[in-house]
Amino acid sequence: MAKPLLVPGTQATTLVDLADDGREIYNAVRMGLPLIPKSLGGLPKDEWVAVMSMKHAAGRLAPTRTSLQPDRDLRFGEVSRVPYALLDYDGWGYDWRADVRWNAERLAVELDARFGEEGESARLVGHSQGGLIIVLASKHTGAAEWERLVSKVVLVGSPLAGTLNALEALLPGSRSLGDENRLLARDMARTWPSLYQMLPAWPCVEESDGDPRSPGDQVLSETGWPGQTGIPADLLVRARETQDLLRNPFAEFGAVETRSFLGTNHKTPQALIRDADEEGRFVLKRHSGDSLVPHVRTMAWGDAAYNDSVRLFGRRTQDHSRLCADVRVATRIRRFLDD
């Protein structure tokens, strides 16, 4: 029997430059090492934004440019084993910056190539964004083809209704490159479709009294970014289209067996309160989840088939990035896939 195919989360696949003999440009594990200076392939900081930014054309899922430096061609490299060391799997890498639907189409092609004629079906594990790719691949193939290719699916911490962490990356910028480089991280991230496609689907922008603000003030609207520049309208269109597809996530799963694992014991952003001056400063309200995915919001977005598949993990469960490295979660993944 073939090993389960793991579709990892955001940043769990390295990015390499094909135009420079496969030189490694981004490695999230190395970025996270303490006392090591943050670096993108040893490149000077004034090149970081151009190197890591992408370009897309409206109506086309695949990127037209994987880097805005003309002599570079960034592609996915190896899947990191660190977050998934407790699992036995084949890793399926992808460019986690790109349109999630493009990667879903790539996954569907991969499944057909591996399992289309062998009589054996795939067992899939999708962590975080990887789970979105799996769901969207099923919407691409349709139920009959999905049943032929896939027998079991486990989603682990998949933000089917989005996450405010995506909004944080697009406003003040992620801390992944270091606090001193948040603006650089923000500017490159604003060119990545996947972050927009993981923005919250619920009305997350609230008044100070907790009431949701108007639809035009919400983050999926072109008018919901006061005081901000560099928010492409096309990427917001892609976000709305993708979130429509993520509703009723198992609609095209047919008889495929499913489990969805969500953490509940970490403070997780669920709402944003803008300052009255509307200059982009904001305060996040936190409730329970896995530190990135709020389980209550996610289950409210899903249908009965999805909610019946959910298993919640509380107490001392690891946070979002380490869910698959949590002993209890990994044990349940292995047990489900092997039964």
Side-chain angles (χ1 to χ4, degrees):
M1 179 183 295
K3 291 182 179 181
L5 192 65
L6 170 75
V7 187
T10 300
Q11 298 189 20
T13 306
T14 62
L15 296 178
V16 301
D17 184 2
L18 292 187
D20 190 7
D21 296 325
R23 176 185 185 179
E24 187 175 87
I25 299 296
Y26 191 95
N27 184 320
V29 173
R30 189 167 298 156
M31 287 288 183
L33 293 175
L35 306 179
I36 300 296
K38 307 300 182 184
S39 175
L40 292 178
L43 299 171
K45 284 188 181 182
D46 60 5
E47 295 185 22
W48 286 10
V49 173
V51 169
M52 287 290 290
S53 294
M54 311 185 83
K55 186 175 182 179
H56 287 76
R60 176 179 170 179
L61 298 187
T64 57
R65 293 288 305 276
T66 60
S67 174
L68 297 190
Q69 278 198 334
D71 57 344
R72 297 196 184 279
D73 182 13
L74 266 58
R75 301 298 173 91
F76 61 88
E78 298 295 323
V79 175
S80 171
R81 293 203 61 86
V82 173
Y84 310 110
L86 298 183
L87 304 176
D88 186 26
Y89 62 88
D90 285 334
W92 188 81
Y94 64 96
D95 189 332
W96 31 267
R97 304 170 301 160
D99 192 304
V100 184
R101 297 168 297 176
W102 178 57
N103 282 315
E105 291 185 1
R106 290 185 52 250
L107 177 61
V109 170
E110 178 78 10
L111 292 174
D112 186 60
R114 290 196 188 198
F115 302 100
E117 298 179 0
E118 297 181 3
E120 186 177 6
S121 54
R123 296 171 297 156
L124 302 177
V125 180
H127 174 226
S128 195
Q129 184 184 162
L132 307 187
I133 292 172
I134 290 173
V135 168
L136 292 171
S138 75
K139 300 293 181 79
H140 177 72
T141 65
E145 182 73 354
W146 192 248
E147 282 185 331
R148 184 175 73 88
L149 297 173
V150 180
S151 59
K152 293 186 176 183
V153 172
V154 183
L155 306 183
V156 185
S158 293
L160 293 167
T163 168
L164 261 92
N165 294 54
L167 182 62
E168 186 173 14
L170 294 169
L171 277 176
S174 168
R175 291 184 168 88
S176 61
L177 298 178
D179 283 340
E180 71 279 12
N181 299 317
R182 292 187 76 175
L183 291 181
L184 299 179
R186 182 200 67 182
D187 289 348
M188 63 179 72
R190 287 186 176 185
T191 71
W192 301 348
S194 64
L195 278 178
Y196 296 83
Q197 291 167 316
M198 289 186 285
L199 286 170
W202 68 91
C204 66
V205 184
E206 297 182 352
E207 304 284 0
S208 58
D209 61 5
D211 289 338
R213 298 187 67 162
S214 68
D217 290 332
Q218 299 299 325
V219 295
L220 295 182
S221 168
E222 283 83 355
T223 59
W225 297 82
Q228 301 297 313
T229 59
I231 305 295
D234 171 61
L235 299 192
L236 291 173
V237 170
R238 291 170 187 259
R240 294 191 291 268
E241 292 172 346
T242 301
Q243 288 184 348
D244 285 343
L245 286 171
L246 289 172
R247 270 198 178 280
N248 303 325
F250 296 161
E252 300 296 338
F253 270 40
V256 173
E257 296 183 65
T258 58
R259 291 289 186 275
S260 301
F261 297 155
L262 297 173
T264 66
N265 61 317
H266 293 272
K267 292 294 185 181
T268 304
Q270 296 198 38
L272 176 155
I273 302 174
R274 293 193 191 276
D275 282 352
D277 59 16
E278 303 284 12
E279 290 183 358
R281 292 187 294 273
F282 62 92
V283 176
L284 290 175
K285 293 171 61 177
R286 301 177 186 271
H287 301 288
S288 60
D290 68 6
S291 75
L292 185 145
V293 177
H295 65 285
V296 173
R297 296 290 188 179
T298 305
M299 294 178 68
W301 184 252
D303 57 358
Y306 171 74
N307 287 331
D308 287 345
S309 79
V310 170
R311 304 294 184 269
L312 301 176
F313 288 80
R315 293 182 293 174
R316 293 178 295 277
T317 304
Q318 299 275 13
D319 66 8
H320 178 83
S321 65
R322 295 173 290 181
L323 271 174
C324 292
D326 184 278
V327 172
R328 289 189 302 142
V329 174
T331 299
R332 292 285 292 274
I333 293 172
R334 295 194 302 265
R335 185 182 302 160
F336 170 70
L337 294 175
D338 293 342
D339 282 348

